[in-house]
Amino acid sequence: MSNLLKSSLISLAATIISLIAGFASNIIAARLLGPAGSGKVAYALWVATSAAAIADMGLPQTLLRNAGALSGTGSAWKSLVRAALRAFTISLLMVCAAILVYAAMTYAYRDARHAWFWVVTAILFLSYAVSAFSTAVARSRNRFGQTANSTAIGSALQVPLVLVGAWLLGPTGALFGYVARYLPQALRLGHYLDRSIPASSHALTPEMRTYGRYMWLSDLIEILVLSRVEFLFLGFFFSATGIGYFAVGLGLAGLIEQVMLQISPALIVSFSDAHAKGDQKALQNAYSRVIRMVALVMLPVSFGGAAIMPDLLPLIFGDAFLPAVPAAATLLAFVWIAGLSVIPWGVVGAAGRSWLLLRVQVISGILTVLLLSLSVPLAGLEGAAASRAAITTLTFILLALTARRHVGVAVPVGALARNVLAAALCAAAAGTAVYLLDGPAAIIVAIPAGAVVYALAVRLLGLIEAADGEMLMESLGGKLPGPSRPLVNGLLGFLAPS
């Protein structure tokens, strides 16, 4: 568990850096380009990530699960990476060519300005897809520090390039900053390749191919349908402005959800080890503890953030985005469920039951399209947000039931219910401040008020067990600056009394 926590903390540190840069970039795009321009940027990002999901064929997930277990520092994992890269490159070039053909058609039927937007989107697709492949290789070999370093460099490049690009070239220019975000890790791919090792087709075993195929189909549904498909409905029934409104709410919610998406590779590696050893008790303990620890962090941010949204969103993005407040509050209030879904997803995937994940994704995907077809024409932006909240909840329930039935691990329902109560009290305190005050003053008072109430609720409801507190201090103690250690130790002692 300590190795799991260490890897998770490294990924979390990188995620925080990336989220800060991404959030700052979203603010810049919103302020400089307005709802319509920022909506175009958000749409291009969705197209690029969707195209990457089509091109990767489940190979990054296959490497993440299998490359780490092959012969330690031997050559078997290198042969697997070469074989996967060969298939990946062919698919990558085909998808990139399709985007460029669309850019050429745009040039012929519209103008050069719109065509260049899609050319840069193709470059963004290449940068993102290669970075994702490279990241999977690095993490499968437990090189979380390298990916964290690349994330920091890319994030440092992203913000100024988005600012300059949006200022000079509009939405097309802003995309160059997002290209730079993924380049450092993409360029690292060459360091993981040993060209003296042949790319044998036998390196990808039938079991690996089956696992990758199911994971690929699951990811396609997740990214094409479950992640941003609202953009298609909002763009069709409304305009790029509607996409811009929804994107800022989704961006705030994504600040929390991305934390879990970055931690999930460490979870998969750890769950795979426990499953391979046949240690069911260790697997259940790890599963329960991760759920409790993640909920402890995500729930107050999710509920409290939704409570202060009426003052927070216009303060960050400007009054032009006031129509997005109800949808943004709904998205943030339910994002903790999306974050927790990564945990049963990881444990089922680590057990090699990828076809079960595909089944859940198919059900969720079909229901998403049906709900959006009804809700967006009737309720617009708020309908899209409500549909996402409903599908997120259903998906978590299906994943949790799947993990319980097929892997034998159960969600700690009692601890989770107590945590929901504590987060609701936090939101009530923060919401009271927002009701009584306005603007920045409301935020300044609401956040500490919610934090104090939540800390008291955590103590009274016993949400942190003494063993959890000891484990956290053991993992964090050597990494914290000297003056902060007594403060953190005292806080954990208060929250988790022995």
Side-chain angles (χ1 to χ4, degrees), residues 24-45:
S25 299
N26 290 341
I27 295 172
I28 290 169
R31 291 282 185 174
L32 291 181
L33 304 175
S38 62
K40 292 178 182 177
V41 172
Y43 188 74
L45 289 170

Side-chain angles (χ1 to χ4, degrees), residues 2-242:
S2 60
N3 289 334
L4 165 63
L5 186 59
K6 180 179 178 181
S7 298
S8 297
L9 289 173
I10 293 174
S11 293
L12 179 59
T15 299
I16 291 172
I17 295 171
S18 178
L19 289 179
I20 291 173
F23 191 53
S25 299
N26 290 341
I27 295 172
I28 290 169
R31 291 282 185 174
L32 291 181
L33 304 175
S38 62
K40 292 178 182 177
V41 172
Y43 188 74
L45 289 170
W46 178 68
V47 169
T49 53
S50 298
I54 294 172
D56 72 29
M57 299 185 296
L59 292 169
Q61 290 282 10
T62 301
L63 292 175
L64 181 64
R65 182 173 182 262
N66 295 284
L70 289 177
S71 66
T73 58
S75 62
W77 74 272
K78 297 176 182 178
S79 180
L80 174 61
V81 171
R82 290 293 307 277
L85 180 61
R86 182 172 61 183
F88 175 72
T89 301
I90 295 171
S91 179
L92 193 75
L93 293 177
M94 292 175 62
V95 175
C96 184
I99 299 176
L100 291 177
V101 167
Y102 183 78
M105 293 172 59
T106 303
Y107 177 76
Y109 289 99
R110 298 190 70 177
D111 54 43
R113 181 171 62 89
H114 289 89
W116 275 112
F117 179 82
W118 289 107
V119 169
V120 178
T121 300
I123 298 172
L124 174 61
F125 151 71
L126 289 173
S127 178
Y128 176 83
V130 176
S131 174
F133 188 93
S134 176
T135 298
V137 177
R139 286 176 169 170
S140 72
R141 305 300 298 175
N142 206 28
R143 298 176 183 177
F144 289 89
Q146 292 181 1
T147 59
N149 182 58
S150 297
T151 297
I153 295 172
S155 299
L157 294 172
Q158 177 181 348
V159 176
L161 288 177
V162 168
L163 174 62
V164 174
W167 181 40
L168 295 177
L169 300 173
T172 302
L175 292 180
F176 282 107
Y178 293 94
V179 171
R181 160 63 183 84
Y182 300 106
L183 272 182
Q185 185 61 43
L187 296 175
R188 274 188 181 271
L189 180 58
H191 298 292
Y192 308 134
L193 301 177
D194 188 343
R195 290 174 175 79
S196 66
I197 303 295
S200 172
S201 59
H202 299 294
L204 281 166
T205 66
E207 188 276 335
M208 291 180 189
R209 293 180 185 276
T210 300
Y211 175 84
R213 186 161 53 249
Y214 282 127
M215 294 303 293
W216 179 45
L217 293 173
S218 296
D219 285 346
L220 284 179
I221 297 171
E222 172 67 30
I223 294 176
L224 292 176
V225 179
L226 298 178
S227 66
R228 300 289 188 274
V229 73
E230 295 92 348
F231 290 175
L232 287 178
F233 286 87
L234 290 169
F236 179 79
F237 287 106
F238 298 98
S239 64
T241 301

